[in-house]
């Protein structure tokens, strides 16, 4: 118990005593500029590198803006602090910000829109449509909705909340089993023609739908869960993206906090927390799955990094067109996450780490059945 508590505290103490200096070292040496409207100096965006998602260029690490209105349905973060965090990420070279109308709903788009107003033209923002959310009231209704008229209204609402005239990358959040993907692509193409959307992508789609969508309107990116804690996309989705020239954006790249080392065998979750009903976090499976965390800690010591940085760097090392979007509501953790861009593996180290990761079989489902059923869905054929 005492040792486990020491490990949990270690993330904070590392950030306080070493992480800030490490981040400065990783990000320094590129010159500094003044962030418009933020009143702080920042390293040039090149400090954390650039990657391509199809034809779209982004920073090599992004920021997920999801839990900034309500974290795991149990706490409400301070709004000014979230705006400061987003601007702090920009100060550190992050140019890729991911959100959705469903996050809140609506509120995370509003937070991101306010935060990035001083530097909107310097960043890439994404949002998503696809849930059956009333565009006026935000009421969550049953099922999904990707009817073309609903897509148009959803995007118009997102633009207003984001305080912008275009969404750089628009995803279908989940595949609607009632709407042919060609009709979805047609609606998005109309929005592109009007300058309201620049690129588009899919999330958690079936493989056939991915190929049909790309044939109808070339995709920039796929956003699926992917991390050391869930490697399912390696089987089919990532090879398909590579073959088609589509970028890949892992959501939950830190395994819902698991890969940071913050969770131990005694951790239990509030009833409203999704992890409370995800069996990979169950008391029966946690002790076994913590082998991954032990592996990360060994590599963190070896590379003079943190477990979270190793987990993110591992993702980026898999393919040059993989861009993780770790989300956080803690400024120090954002600094830590962006520092992952400075972690490098030699070919031999990567082969060694990959083999060690694959040797650990994660126990339990990644999501509850009611959520998992919405992944891998194929859109109906167009008649």
């Amino acid at each position: 118990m005492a040792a486990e508590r020491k490990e949990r505290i270690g993330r904070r103490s590392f950030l306080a005593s070493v992480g800030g200096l490490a981040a400065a070292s990783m990000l320094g040496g590129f010159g500094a500029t003044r962030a418009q409207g933020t009143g702080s100096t920042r390293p040039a965006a090149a400090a954390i590198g650039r990657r391509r998602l199809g034809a779209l260029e982004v920073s090599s690490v992004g920021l997920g803006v999801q839990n900034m209105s309500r974290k795991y349905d149990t706490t409400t973060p301070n709004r000014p602090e979230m705006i400061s965090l987003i601007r702090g990420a920009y100060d550190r070279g992050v140019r890729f910000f991911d959100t959705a109308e469903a996050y809140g709903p609506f509120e995370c788009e509003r937070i991101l829109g306010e935060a990035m107003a001083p530097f909107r033209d310097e960043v890439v923002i994404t949002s998503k449509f696809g849930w059956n959310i009333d565009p006026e009231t935000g009421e969550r209704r049953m099922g999904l909705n990707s009817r073309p008229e609903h897509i148009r209204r959803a995007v118009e609402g997102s633009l207003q909340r984001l305080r912008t005239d275009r969404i750089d990358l628009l995803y279908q959040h989940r595949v609607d089993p009632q709407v042919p993907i060609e009709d979805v692509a047609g609606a998005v193409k109309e929005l592109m023609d009007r300058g309201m959307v620049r690129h588009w992508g899919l999330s958690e789609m079936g493989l056939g739908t991915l190929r049909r969508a790309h044939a109808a309107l070339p995709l920039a990116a796929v956003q699926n869960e992917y991390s050391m804690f869930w490697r399912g996309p390696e089987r089919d989705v990532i090879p398909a993206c590579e073959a088609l020239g589509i970028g890949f954006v892992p959501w939950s790249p830190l395994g819902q906090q698991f890969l940071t080392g913050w969770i131990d065998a005694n951790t239990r979750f509030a009833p409203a927390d999704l992890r409370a009903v995800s069996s990979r976090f169950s008391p029966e499976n946690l002790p076994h799955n913590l082998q991954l965390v032990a592996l990360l800690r060994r590599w963190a010591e070896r590379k003079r990094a943190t477990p979270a940085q190793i987990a993110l760097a591992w993702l980026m090392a898999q393919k040059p067109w993989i861009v993780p979007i770790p989300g956080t509501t803690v400024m120090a953790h954002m600094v830590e996450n962006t520092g992952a861009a400075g972690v490098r593996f030699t070919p031999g180290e990567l082969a060694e780490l990959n083999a060690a990761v694959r040797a650990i079989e994660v126990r339990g489902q990644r999501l509850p059945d009611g959520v998992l059923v919405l992944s891998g869905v194929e859109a109906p054929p167009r008649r």
Side-chain angles (χ1 to χ4, degrees):
M1 289 286 290
E4 290 172 343
R5 177 173 173 78
K6 182 178 179 182
E7 290 288 357
R8 293 199 303 273
I9 294 172
R11 188 180 191 203
R12 287 181 176 171
S13 61
F14 178 93
L15 289 168
S17 63
V18 180
L21 294 174
S25 174
M26 291 172 185
L27 298 174
F30 292 87
T33 59
R34 180 70 58 177
Q36 300 175 15
T38 67
S40 63
T41 57
R42 60 173 174 83
I48 64 172
R50 310 285 286 182
R51 293 192 166 205
R52 298 194 74 84
L53 301 172
L56 181 63
E57 187 178 76
V58 300
S59 54
S60 62
V61 179
L63 177 66
V65 182
Q66 177 177 2
N67 289 321
M68 292 187 177
S69 65
R70 184 167 292 276
K71 185 176 182 181
Y72 294 119
D73 290 328
T74 56
T75 59
T76 302
N78 178 273
R79 182 188 178 94
E81 289 180 2
M82 297 304 96
I83 291 171
S84 178
L85 190 155
I86 291 168
R87 291 178 176 174
Y90 171 84
D91 289 347
R92 286 162 177 80
V94 175
R95 296 294 182 269
F96 187 41
F97 296 87
D98 181 273
T99 192
E101 64 162 358
Y103 302 158
F106 298 167
E107 188 59 23
C108 286
E109 287 183 324
R110 294 189 183 105
I111 292 170
L112 180 58
E114 181 177 347
M116 70 181 183
F119 44 81
R120 168 62 187 100
D121 291 339
E122 300 177 47
V123 299
V124 171
I125 62 167
T126 83
S127 194
K128 310 175 190 72
F129 66 87
W131 297 102
N132 195 13
I133 299 171
D134 187 294
E136 301 297 331
T137 67
E139 178 190 358
R140 293 178 181 270
R141 297 169 176 169
M142 292 292 293
L144 300 162
N145 190 344
S146 282
R147 297 192 304 273
E149 63 274 15
H150 184 82
I151 295 173
R152 286 188 287 270
R153 290 190 66 194
V155 169
E156 288 168 357
S158 291
L159 290 172
Q160 183 178 27
R161 292 183 291 272
L162 289 165
R163 304 187 185 188
T164 187
D165 61 353
R166 80 277 184 196
I167 295 171
D168 298 301
L169 175 54
L170 178 71
Y171 294 100
Q172 183 187 40
H173 213 153
R174 291 293 186 274
V175 172
D176 188 334
Q178 304 300 319
V179 181
I181 198 64
E182 292 80 5
D183 293 352
V184 175
V188 173
K189 178 63 164 60
E190 288 180 12
L191 295 170
M192 288 181 174
D193 291 342
R194 294 168 60 185
M196 299 164 68
V197 172
R198 291 182 58 216
H199 303 270
W200 85 303
L202 300 180
S203 180
E204 297 284 339
M205 71 290 118
L207 205 60
T209 297
L210 169 64
R211 295 193 174 102
R212 287 167 53 197
H214 189 65
L217 182 66
L219 296 159
V222 160
Q223 185 175 134
N224 276 31
E225 182 177 4
Y226 180 42
S227 71
M228 287 184 178
F229 205 26
W230 168 247
R231 296 179 15 251
E234 293 177 352
R235 290 192 297 269
D236 299 309
V237 175
I238 289 177
C241 287
E242 185 161 36
L244 296 171
I246 301 170
F248 190 91
V249 178
W251 65 264
S252 195
L254 294 174
Q256 294 176 290
Q257 208 174 22
F258 181 79
L259 300 175
T260 67
W262 195 250
I263 292 169
D264 64 30
N266 299 307
T267 302
R268 301 295 180 265
F269 303 96
D273 191 318
L274 182 66
R275 295 171 294 185
V277 288
S278 298
S279 60
R280 62 182 175 177
F281 290 99
S282 71
E284 296 77 21
N285 291 326
L286 262 180
H288 171 84
N289 293 340
L290 283 167
Q291 293 178 74
L292 266 179
V293 177
L295 174 66
L296 283 167
R297 286 182 176 139
R298 291 194 296 273
W299 276 86
E301 182 176 358
R302 179 171 169 177
K303 302 295 287 186
R304 300 187 65 183
T306 69
Q309 288 172 340
I310 296 297
L312 294 171
W314 176 83
L315 280 171
M316 290 185 281
Q318 300 305 305
K319 300 290 180 182
W321 35 266
I322 289 179
V323 182
I325 48 168
T328 184
T329 58
V330 178
M331 181 73 78
H333 294 172
M334 180 276 293
V335 174
E336 177 186 7
N337 294 341
T338 56
V343 177
R344 299 286 187 272
F345 302 109
T346 67
E349 287 175 334
L350 184 59
E352 179 186 349
L353 180 54
N354 281 340
V357 170
R358 290 168 185 149
I360 299 171
E361 182 180 354
V362 174
R363 293 178 183 172
Q365 288 189 170
R366 67 182 178 109
L367 294 167
D369 288 338
V371 180
L372 199 58
V373 72
L374 300 172
S375 294
V377 172
E378 300 288 2
R382 196 176 196 182
R383 300 187 185 281

